[in-house]
Amino acid sequence: MKIRFLGTGTSQGIPIIGCDCPVCTSDDSRDQRLRCAVLLKINEQNLVIDVGPDFRQQMLRAKVAHLDGILLTHEHNDHVVGLDDVRPFNFRSGKDMPIYARLSVQNDIKRRFPYVFSDNPYPGAPSVVFRDIEVDTSFQIGGTTIIPIEALHGQLPVFGFRIGNFTYLTDIKTISDQELEKLMGTELLVVNALHKKEHHSHLNLSQALAFIEKINPTRAYLTHISHKMGLHQEVEETLPANVFIAYDNLEIDFLI
Ligand SMILES: [Zn+2]
Ligand SMILES: [Zn+2]
Ligand SMILES: [Zn+2]
């Protein structure tokens, strides 16, 4: 499996429009972050987790010519609003785009994109097909088993995904002991860390580090980063040896 970070920024991205802080004006390309998403290449299959506002740019930047499915963590704007841009994939393949999401997320998407789901869709509208995800039910895509992990994002349930010993979690704040159990044995862990201060719906840096310590993976990468976290280089130097800050376009080969 190849994991490529398409975006590692929080909902406004970095730089933030009009912000002249040291992070938003940094020359280090690792400080420039599109909205949070990841591309998984498993054998010949391409899957993405989340389709935020930068989806089109991310697909172009990663030169993705075909896409076999989209997994959604939750319904927030920065994770779903790029959905209209699946059209080129529809046109090339002549097929509906499978979207793996829980029912509440599917319903939210139907409200956000009514033209996609009307009985008489506008010619050229995206064509998607939902596949349900439920807690405690693993599912298969092209022979790859994916285990959903439920966590809470403030009050909102979100899904992370475990594939072999790789786990991707974003926009989490708390997790039950039962779900935590599903993470044990993870060797490569991606988890969100917003910034250093407390936040009501995201892990901050110290909470993310405590969480990583519990799971004890070989390597962990932080994502969904705010400009308030500080400069990539400076913050990364303060982290434990097995913890890194993810950055856009970072690619990791991992045997699942
Ligand atoms: Zn988010
Ligand atoms: Zn800034
Ligand atoms: Zn969110």
Side-chain angles (χ1 to χ4, degrees):
M1 176 165 73
K2 237 188 220 314
I3 300 145
R4 181 186 171 113
F5 289 90
L6 299 170
T8 56
T10 189
S11 61
Q12 297 185 77
I14 305 178
I16 290 180
I17 295 170
C19 185
D20 58 2
C21 83
V23 174
C24 288
T25 54
S26 164
D27 290 334
D28 186 342
S29 63
R30 295 172 304 173
D31 285 314
Q32 288 156 21
R33 303 179 188 277
L34 299 181
R35 267 58 70 91
C36 212
V38 74
L39 172 70
L40 307 175
K41 292 187 186 199
I42 310 170
N43 302 323
E44 288 309 303
Q45 289 224 98
N46 287 332
L47 303 174
V48 296
I49 304 181
D50 292 333
V51 284
D54 300 316
F55 177 65
R56 173 179 173 274
Q57 193 182 345
Q58 290 166 335
M59 293 299 94
L60 290 171
R61 203 158 73 163
K63 297 188 166 51
V64 180
H66 72 97
L67 188 59
D68 302 287
I70 294 169
L71 289 81
L72 295 180
T73 57
H74 66 301
E75 61 268 47
H76 281 164
N77 208 62
D78 54 324
H79 298 259
V80 303
V81 79
L83 192 68
D84 189 78
D85 284 316
V86 302
R87 288 177 297 145
F89 295 116
N90 292 147
F91 300 154
R92 280 175 73 95
S93 69
K95 292 183 194 154
D96 295 339
M97 180 62 68
I99 299 188
Y100 297 80
R102 70 193 311 148
L103 215 56
S104 54
V105 174
Q106 296 176 22
N107 290 334
D108 189 276
I109 294 210
K110 286 178 185 168
R111 282 194 297 275
R112 283 170 183 268
F113 299 92
Y115 63 96
V116 176
F117 301 95
S118 79
D119 291 337
N120 216 342
Y122 185 81
S127 46
V128 304
V129 56
F130 283 122
R131 308 263 189 251
D132 298 347
I133 308 179
E134 288 167 27
V135 194
D136 291 333
T137 310
S138 60
F139 57 98
Q140 302 255 333
I141 306 181
T144 304
T145 302
I146 301 177
I147 301 169
I149 314 276
E150 189 177 72
L152 285 177
H153 180 26
Q155 300 299 317
L156 182 74
V158 300
F159 273 137
F161 302 102
R162 177 168 181 169
I163 303 172
N165 288 331
F166 165 70
T167 303
Y168 181 86
L169 295 168
T170 190
D171 294 54
I172 77 161
K173 172 72 179 183
T174 54
I175 185 164
S176 70
D177 288 344
Q178 203 181 332
E179 292 298 295
L180 194 70
E181 201 52 44
K182 292 188 191 167
L183 294 175
M184 292 306 168
T186 293
E187 287 168 16
L188 178 59
L189 174 67
V190 179
V191 66
N192 57 300
L194 190 66
H195 48 51
K196 291 169 184 156
K197 286 191 181 154
E198 180 66 27
H199 189 275
H200 69 99
S201 65
H202 284 274
L203 293 173
N204 66 16
L205 180 58
S206 61
Q207 291 158 350
L209 292 177
F211 179 77
I212 291 165
E213 215 174 288
K214 258 193 234 172
I215 313 293
N216 194 25
T218 317
R219 274 181 298 166
Y221 287 84
L222 306 175
T223 192
H224 213 286
I225 309 288
S226 156
H227 67 153
K228 290 184 193 150
M229 179 68 95
L231 293 165
H232 184 105
Q233 179 73 37
E234 284 180 19
V235 180
E236 198 166 72
E237 280 168 10
T238 69
L239 300 179
N242 65 332
V243 184
F244 308 88
I245 302 181
Y247 54 88
D248 289 23
N249 302 323
L250 168 65
E251 220 168 39
I252 300 170
D253 284 306
F254 185 71
L255 213 60
I256 48 171

